Amino acid sequence: MHKIAMIGGGSWATALTKILSENGSRVGWWLRHKDDVQHLQRTRHNPRYLSSVAFDLGHVFPATDLAEVVAEADWLVLAVPAAFVQPVLDKLDRDALKNKRIISAIKGMIPAKNVLVTDYVAQRFRLAPEQLGVVAGPCHAEEVALEKQSYLTIGGPDLALAEDFCALLRNRYVKAHASADLDGIEYCAVMKNIIALTCGIAHGLGYGDNFQAVMVSNAVQEIRRFLHALSPCQRDLSASAYLGDLLVTAYSQFSRNRTFGNMVGRGYSVKSAQMEMNMVAEGYYAVKSIHELNKKLKEFMPITDAAYRVLYEKVAPAVEIELLKEKFR
């Protein structure tokens, strides 16, 4: 039985725990709140997210002791919001992950450092690149709960590690394949949240599907320019790990980043939109990180720049989208 430590109690952590445990893995599930652990032990349901999913407590072991959950596992899956990764993992000893295989399921960056989650983990715990992977693709947690057909990509420099984790995920409604492009997949997963957020702003202002299609088309070019400058290699951005993830996040009713942007476009302040949502919109933090990185790269990134000015410089959304539409082709 494969032993996995799931770090995080949100919807994506819940969905991954469902997949992995139902496929036969032992999942030690770290949750921040003792009440949530007790609720899971008593009812077999996560009280906060995807509460319709029932877990087999012979395979799922919720706990609040992070060090214990990690020590018992061979695999570590990170599924907390990117803004909380550092304070959570800094509780662990630097050798705690020495012989572990690490998968990041986080589509965001460490805000204080403007680095990818996998880069931070490798540096903090002195890990070899071959110990790390990332899971991405067009796969909303809510559809996993409903067992809708979904596709995932596991990226990592060690294709054997990526393929091993694919094997843990595959079932009748989840297909998974491996890729060596860890950086490209991880950066694209960060940037698609920015695009979805900006699409939401436009939708909140009353722009229609025609404009959103043009924005997403231009977004692909923006992502291509950024990735080529930062991590040049041969990659097909039309693959599901890139374009598929972008499309589902930009268009889906389940997209928290689109929802957040829609609220801002309709007139909510950033703070009031954050307070009303029950989940973290990673795009809010990603905008600042990518904007800071691009100060050195100096690539043409009008969508990211527009989102940054709305969210961090308090420029009126209507003004920014009006300017943005003149930059599209």
Side-chain angles (χ1 to χ4, degrees), residues 10-264:
S11 57
W12 192 214
T14 305
L16 288 171
T17 298
K18 168 183 166 61
I19 296 169
L20 293 164
S21 63
E22 290 179 357
N23 280 356
S25 292
R26 180 197 190 280
V27 182
W29 191 0
W30 178 80
L31 299 159
R32 185 186 304 272
H33 302 290
K34 185 177 180 180
D35 289 348
D36 292 348
V37 170
Q38 292 174 340
H39 188 278
L40 258 162
Q41 291 171 335
R42 186 174 66 255
T43 70
R44 302 189 299 125
H45 297 270
N46 184 340
R48 298 175 186 265
Y49 301 96
L50 306 185
S51 56
S52 64
V53 177
F55 293 97
D56 178 354
L57 297 183
H59 285 272
V60 177
F61 301 87
T64 57
D65 189 328
L66 178 64
E68 182 180 335
V69 168
V70 170
E72 293 176 348
D74 302 316
W75 294 86
L76 181 73
V77 179
L78 298 171
V80 297
F84 305 142
V85 171
Q86 189 172 352
V88 169
L89 293 187
D90 281 357
K91 299 173 184 176
L92 294 172
D93 183 83
R94 287 180 67 88
D95 293 325
L97 308 185
K98 186 175 180 180
N99 298 312
K100 312 292 183 187
R101 304 168 97 184
I102 317 300
I103 299 292
S104 173
I106 302 166
K107 299 182 178 183
M109 301 177 72
I110 307 297
K113 298 179 177 292
N114 299 328
V115 298
L116 295 172
V117 171
T118 55
D119 288 340
Y120 163 72
V121 173
Q123 181 181 18
R124 170 70 174 78
F125 296 98
R126 299 171 294 200
L127 303 179
E130 292 73 22
Q131 290 178 255
L132 297 158
V134 61
V135 56
C139 191
H140 280 307
E142 292 82 359
E143 290 199 356
V144 170
L146 295 171
E147 300 189 355
K148 301 277 189 179
Q149 186 65 56
S150 302
Y151 293 76
L152 290 169
T153 300
I154 310 303
D158 182 357
L159 282 175
L161 176 146
E163 183 54 45
D164 284 349
F165 199 71
C166 285
L168 299 183
L169 293 170
R170 292 186 184 111
N171 60 25
R172 64 178 177 79
Y173 60 91
V174 175
K175 295 185 182 298
H177 73 274
S179 167
D181 185 23
L182 185 147
D183 283 353
I185 289 172
E186 197 167 5
Y187 273 119
C188 191
V190 172
M191 291 192 67
K192 57 91 180 180
N193 287 331
I194 299 172
I195 308 308
L197 192 155
T198 313
C199 284
I201 292 174
H203 185 267
L205 288 167
Y207 286 81
D209 292 344
N210 294 343
F211 180 71
Q212 179 162 325
V214 173
M215 184 184 293
V216 172
S217 298
N218 278 263
V220 174
Q221 304 306 315
E222 184 163 321
I223 292 170
R224 178 177 285 112
R225 288 190 293 269
F226 181 79
L227 289 181
H228 181 74
L230 200 62
S231 176
C233 76
Q234 288 292 328
R235 56 173 63 93
D236 179 8
L237 290 186
S238 66
S240 63
Y242 312 100
L243 181 59
D245 205 1
L246 170 61
L247 290 174
V248 77
T249 310
Y251 284 95
S252 175
Q253 62 177 323
F254 296 126
S255 170
R256 66 192 69 175
N257 289 283
R258 178 183 166 89
T259 299
F260 177 79
N262 186 58
M263 294 169 72
V264 171

Side-chain angles (χ1 to χ4, degrees), residues 231-310:
S231 176
C233 76
Q234 288 292 328
R235 56 173 63 93
D236 179 8
L237 290 186
S238 66
S240 63
Y242 312 100
L243 181 59
D245 205 1
L246 170 61
L247 290 174
V248 77
T249 310
Y251 284 95
S252 175
Q253 62 177 323
F254 296 126
S255 170
R256 66 192 69 175
N257 289 283
R258 178 183 166 89
T259 299
F260 177 79
N262 186 58
M263 294 169 72
V264 171
R266 285 164 47 203
Y268 283 71
S269 69
V270 169
K271 186 173 183 179
S272 61
Q274 288 174 320
M275 290 177 64
E276 185 161 321
M277 289 185 66
N278 190 36
M279 296 181 286
V280 174
E282 293 278 18
Y284 171 75
Y285 302 99
V287 165
K288 188 173 183 181
S289 291
I290 297 297
H291 183 267
E292 291 295 321
L293 286 176
N294 197 45
K295 285 182 178 179
K296 296 180 181 179
L297 301 174
K298 300 186 185 305
E299 292 296 322
F300 179 55
M301 299 179 66
I303 301 173
T304 300
D305 292 343
Y308 179 83
R309 285 190 287 268
V310 169

